Amino acid sequence: MFDIIMPNKSTPVGIMGNALQSIQQQSYQDWNCYIMDDTPEDWEYWDNYQKMLSHFLQDNRFHLIRSETSSPSTARNKGIDSSQADWIAFLDSDDVWFEDHLDTLAKGLEHYDICFTEISKVDPHCDLVNLNGLGIDGSVGVKLDVIQVIQRYEMANFIPDEYQGYFWYGAPVWFSALGCQRKVFQNTKFNEELMIAEDTDLLLQWVRQGFYPRLIPQKTVHRSIHDNQLTKSISQDRHDADMDIWLERNKDFLLTEEVLLSMPIHYRDVMKQNNDLAKERNMFLEHLNFDIISEEDYEIEML
């Protein structure tokens, strides 16, 4: 049985409705979903939001818990404490699962402590990330190739356990694609200090304890991109403060030249390539060497 944890704060009604419907339509039907809700009652769409929720709450497998916190980490931790199944899955309130998502995770969790599936690239424009937060003109952006991210994930099954921390350092992790055994939360949970990068931080804490994620190479998640995403509302000061915390907690997994040279050459090349890709994708690791292009050039490239 799965407990599904869904943090939410003012996600557009239609988008969240699609997420909840994708849970209800799972081929694997043995689940409970805990909606950890922090939507303010003065939200302009509150009435429509309540109507949408009331429709889904007729299914007694959905549980609405007012989390009263602005932190997704705190909401997820409360959801974990409120649930009890041996298997836990996460779905952000703006993402959507394919019908076979939980079935796919269930098969993986029969063998692994942590596993995740591939995500589907549903909007080509999601690869163009606005750089206003870094003081760079908004008419340019950084290309983030989701396909390359998936190729990186596939290598996780090839990398030895002792190198997993170095491998995941700075890697983008989508928790909507992840399932895990409850036991992995026995000694650690989401760091409630962090508004961003809390997912990668938790994964690295798991690696320290000997829990290693494994990829199931099957697309089962649509990742949504929209203007109301929480990460788009975080100030630059908060972003920088969180990254300082993240880097201090995880600096032992920084892939230095010394660490690279200590590895067998067939792992060294893979690790270096993936580490370089991670630096390009994560603004908190490095603000240089981005593949910066104009929106016009990006549109031409997509043709």
Short mmCIF file of all heavy atoms in Angstrom, two decimals, residues 74-101:
data_model
loop_
_atom_site.label_atom_id
_atom_site.label_comp_id
_atom_site.label_asym_id
_atom_site.label_seq_id
_atom_site.Cartn_x
_atom_site.Cartn_y
_atom_site.Cartn_z
N THR A 74 8.33 21.16 5.53
CA THR A 74 7.54 20.94 6.73
C THR A 74 6.24 20.21 6.40
O THR A 74 5.82 19.29 7.12
CB THR A 74 7.22 22.28 7.41
OG1 THR A 74 8.44 22.97 7.70
CG2 THR A 74 6.46 22.07 8.71
N ALA A 75 5.60 20.61 5.30
CA ALA A 75 4.35 19.96 4.89
C ALA A 75 4.59 18.49 4.59
O ALA A 75 3.80 17.63 5.01
CB ALA A 75 3.78 20.67 3.66
N ARG A 76 5.65 18.17 3.88
CA ARG A 76 5.94 16.77 3.56
C ARG A 76 6.23 15.97 4.83
O ARG A 76 5.79 14.83 4.98
CB ARG A 76 7.11 16.68 2.60
CG ARG A 76 6.81 17.18 1.18
CD ARG A 76 7.97 16.87 0.25
NE ARG A 76 7.73 17.37 -1.10
CZ ARG A 76 8.40 18.37 -1.66
NH1 ARG A 76 9.37 18.99 -0.97
NH2 ARG A 76 8.15 18.75 -2.89
N ASN A 77 7.00 16.57 5.73
CA ASN A 77 7.30 15.85 6.99
C ASN A 77 6.03 15.57 7.79
O ASN A 77 5.86 14.48 8.35
CB ASN A 77 8.28 16.67 7.84
CG ASN A 77 9.70 16.63 7.30
OD1 ASN A 77 10.05 15.73 6.51
ND2 ASN A 77 10.52 17.57 7.71
N LYS A 78 5.12 16.54 7.85
CA LYS A 78 3.86 16.32 8.56
C LYS A 78 3.03 15.25 7.87
O LYS A 78 2.34 14.46 8.52
CB LYS A 78 3.08 17.63 8.65
CG LYS A 78 3.66 18.63 9.64
CD LYS A 78 2.77 19.86 9.77
CE LYS A 78 3.32 20.82 10.84
NZ LYS A 78 2.45 22.02 10.99
N GLY A 79 3.09 15.23 6.54
CA GLY A 79 2.38 14.20 5.80
C GLY A 79 2.92 12.82 6.09
O GLY A 79 2.16 11.85 6.26
N ILE A 80 4.23 12.70 6.17
CA ILE A 80 4.86 11.42 6.51
C ILE A 80 4.43 10.97 7.90
O ILE A 80 4.10 9.80 8.13
CB ILE A 80 6.40 11.55 6.41
CG1 ILE A 80 6.82 11.78 4.96
CG2 ILE A 80 7.08 10.30 6.97
CD1 ILE A 80 8.23 12.30 4.82
N ASP A 81 4.41 11.91 8.85
CA ASP A 81 4.01 11.58 10.23
C ASP A 81 2.52 11.22 10.33
O ASP A 81 2.13 10.45 11.20
CB ASP A 81 4.29 12.77 11.15
CG ASP A 81 5.79 13.00 11.36
OD1 ASP A 81 6.57 12.06 11.13
OD2 ASP A 81 6.17 14.13 11.73
N SER A 82 1.72 11.75 9.42
CA SER A 82 0.27 11.51 9.46
C SER A 82 -0.11 10.19 8.80
O SER A 82 -1.26 9.74 8.95
CB SER A 82 -0.48 12.65 8.77
OG SER A 82 -0.22 13.88 9.41
N SER A 83 0.81 9.59 8.06
CA SER A 83 0.51 8.39 7.29
C SER A 83 1.18 7.18 7.93
O SER A 83 1.93 7.31 8.90
CB SER A 83 0.97 8.57 5.85
OG SER A 83 2.38 8.81 5.80
N GLN A 84 0.94 5.99 7.39
CA GLN A 84 1.47 4.80 8.05
C GLN A 84 1.84 3.65 7.12
O GLN A 84 2.38 2.64 7.57
CB GLN A 84 0.45 4.28 9.06
CG GLN A 84 -0.91 3.96 8.49
CD GLN A 84 -1.92 3.61 9.56
OE1 GLN A 84 -1.61 3.60 10.76
NE2 GLN A 84 -3.16 3.32 9.15
N ALA A 85 1.57 3.75 5.82
CA ALA A 85 1.88 2.65 4.90
C ALA A 85 3.38 2.44 4.79
O ALA A 85 4.18 3.36 5.04
CB ALA A 85 1.28 2.93 3.52
N ASP A 86 3.78 1.25 4.39
CA ASP A 86 5.21 0.92 4.25
C ASP A 86 5.85 1.62 3.07
O ASP A 86 7.06 1.83 3.05
CB ASP A 86 5.39 -0.59 4.12
CG ASP A 86 5.11 -1.33 5.42
OD1 ASP A 86 5.19 -0.69 6.49
OD2 ASP A 86 4.79 -2.53 5.36
N TRP A 87 5.04 1.94 2.05
CA TRP A 87 5.57 2.61 0.86
C TRP A 87 5.04 4.03 0.79
O TRP A 87 3.87 4.29 1.08
CB TRP A 87 5.14 1.87 -0.41
CG TRP A 87 5.76 0.51 -0.56
CD1 TRP A 87 6.81 -0.01 0.15
CD2 TRP A 87 5.35 -0.51 -1.48
NE1 TRP A 87 7.09 -1.29 -0.28
CE2 TRP A 87 6.21 -1.63 -1.27
CE3 TRP A 87 4.36 -0.61 -2.45
CZ2 TRP A 87 6.11 -2.80 -2.01
CZ3 TRP A 87 4.24 -1.77 -3.19
CH2 TRP A 87 5.11 -2.85 -2.98
N ILE A 88 5.92 4.97 0.42
CA ILE A 88 5.57 6.38 0.33
C ILE A 88 5.90 6.89 -1.07
O ILE A 88 6.96 6.59 -1.62
CB ILE A 88 6.32 7.22 1.37
CG1 ILE A 88 5.94 6.76 2.78
CG2 ILE A 88 6.02 8.70 1.20
CD1 ILE A 88 6.70 7.47 3.88
N ALA A 89 4.96 7.64 -1.65
CA ALA A 89 5.20 8.30 -2.93
C ALA A 89 4.85 9.78 -2.77
O ALA A 89 4.07 10.16 -1.89
CB ALA A 89 4.34 7.67 -4.03
N PHE A 90 5.45 10.59 -3.59
CA PHE A 90 5.22 12.04 -3.54
C PHE A 90 4.69 12.51 -4.88
O PHE A 90 5.13 12.06 -5.93
CB PHE A 90 6.53 12.78 -3.22
CG PHE A 90 7.11 12.43 -1.88
CD1 PHE A 90 8.00 11.37 -1.75
CD2 PHE A 90 6.75 13.14 -0.74
CE1 PHE A 90 8.53 11.03 -0.51
CE2 PHE A 90 7.28 12.81 0.49
CZ PHE A 90 8.17 11.75 0.61
N LEU A 91 3.75 13.44 -4.82
CA LEU A 91 3.28 14.09 -6.05
C LEU A 91 3.09 15.56 -5.76
O LEU A 91 2.30 15.94 -4.90
CB LEU A 91 1.96 13.47 -6.52
CG LEU A 91 1.36 14.09 -7.80
CD1 LEU A 91 2.32 13.95 -8.98
CD2 LEU A 91 0.01 13.48 -8.13
N ASP A 92 3.86 16.41 -6.46
CA ASP A 92 3.63 17.84 -6.35
C ASP A 92 2.25 18.15 -6.92
O ASP A 92 1.79 17.51 -7.87
CB ASP A 92 4.70 18.61 -7.11
CG ASP A 92 6.05 18.55 -6.41
OD1 ASP A 92 6.11 18.11 -5.24
OD2 ASP A 92 7.06 18.94 -7.04
N SER A 93 1.59 19.15 -6.36
CA SER A 93 0.21 19.42 -6.73
C SER A 93 0.06 19.98 -8.14
O SER A 93 -1.07 20.20 -8.61
CB SER A 93 -0.42 20.39 -5.73
OG SER A 93 0.33 21.60 -5.66
N ASP A 94 1.18 20.21 -8.83
CA ASP A 94 1.10 20.70 -10.21
C ASP A 94 1.68 19.70 -11.22
O ASP A 94 1.86 20.03 -12.39
CB ASP A 94 1.80 22.05 -10.35
CG ASP A 94 3.22 22.05 -9.79
OD1 ASP A 94 3.69 20.98 -9.36
OD2 ASP A 94 3.85 23.11 -9.80
N ASP A 95 1.94 18.46 -10.79
CA ASP A 95 2.41 17.43 -11.70
C ASP A 95 1.33 16.38 -11.90
O ASP A 95 0.33 16.35 -11.18
CB ASP A 95 3.69 16.77 -11.16
CG ASP A 95 4.89 17.71 -11.19
OD1 ASP A 95 4.87 18.66 -12.00
OD2 ASP A 95 5.83 17.50 -10.40
N VAL A 96 1.53 15.50 -12.87
CA VAL A 96 0.53 14.49 -13.21
C VAL A 96 1.22 13.15 -13.41
O VAL A 96 2.28 13.06 -14.03
CB VAL A 96 -0.23 14.88 -14.50
CG1 VAL A 96 -1.12 13.73 -14.97
CG2 VAL A 96 -1.07 16.13 -14.28
N TRP A 97 0.62 12.10 -12.87
CA TRP A 97 1.12 10.73 -13.06
C TRP A 97 0.42 10.04 -14.21
O TRP A 97 -0.78 10.22 -14.42
CB TRP A 97 0.86 9.89 -11.81
CG TRP A 97 1.76 10.16 -10.66
CD1 TRP A 97 2.97 10.79 -10.67
CD2 TRP A 97 1.53 9.79 -9.29
NE1 TRP A 97 3.50 10.84 -9.41
CE2 TRP A 97 2.63 10.23 -8.54
CE3 TRP A 97 0.49 9.13 -8.64
CZ2 TRP A 97 2.74 10.02 -7.17
CZ3 TRP A 97 0.58 8.93 -7.27
CH2 TRP A 97 1.70 9.37 -6.54
N PHE A 98 1.18 9.20 -14.95
CA PHE A 98 0.56 8.27 -15.88
C PHE A 98 -0.17 7.20 -15.04
O PHE A 98 0.14 7.00 -13.87
CB PHE A 98 1.61 7.59 -16.75
CG PHE A 98 2.33 8.50 -17.70
CD1 PHE A 98 2.15 9.87 -17.70
CD2 PHE A 98 3.20 7.96 -18.64
CE1 PHE A 98 2.83 10.70 -18.58
CE2 PHE A 98 3.89 8.77 -19.53
CZ PHE A 98 3.70 10.14 -19.51
N GLU A 99 -1.09 6.49 -15.67
CA GLU A 99 -1.91 5.51 -14.94
C GLU A 99 -1.09 4.40 -14.31
O GLU A 99 -1.51 3.80 -13.31
CB GLU A 99 -2.96 4.90 -15.88
CG GLU A 99 -4.04 5.88 -16.30
CD GLU A 99 -5.09 5.23 -17.17
OE1 GLU A 99 -5.04 3.99 -17.38
OE2 GLU A 99 -5.99 5.95 -17.65
N ASP A 100 0.08 4.09 -14.86
CA ASP A 100 0.87 2.97 -14.34
C ASP A 100 1.98 3.39 -13.39
O ASP A 100 2.87 2.61 -13.06
CB ASP A 100 1.48 2.17 -15.50
CG ASP A 100 2.40 3.02 -16.39
OD1 ASP A 100 2.39 4.27 -16.25
OD2 ASP A 100 3.12 2.45 -17.22
N HIS A 101 1.93 4.65 -12.92
CA HIS A 101 3.04 5.15 -12.09
C HIS A 101 3.22 4.33 -10.80
O HIS A 101 4.31 3.82 -10.51
CB HIS A 101 2.82 6.62 -11.74
CG HIS A 101 3.88 7.18 -10.84
ND1 HIS A 101 5.18 7.39 -11.25
CD2 HIS A 101 3.85 7.53 -9.52
CE1 HIS A 101 5.90 7.86 -10.25
NE2 HIS A 101 5.13 7.96 -9.19
#
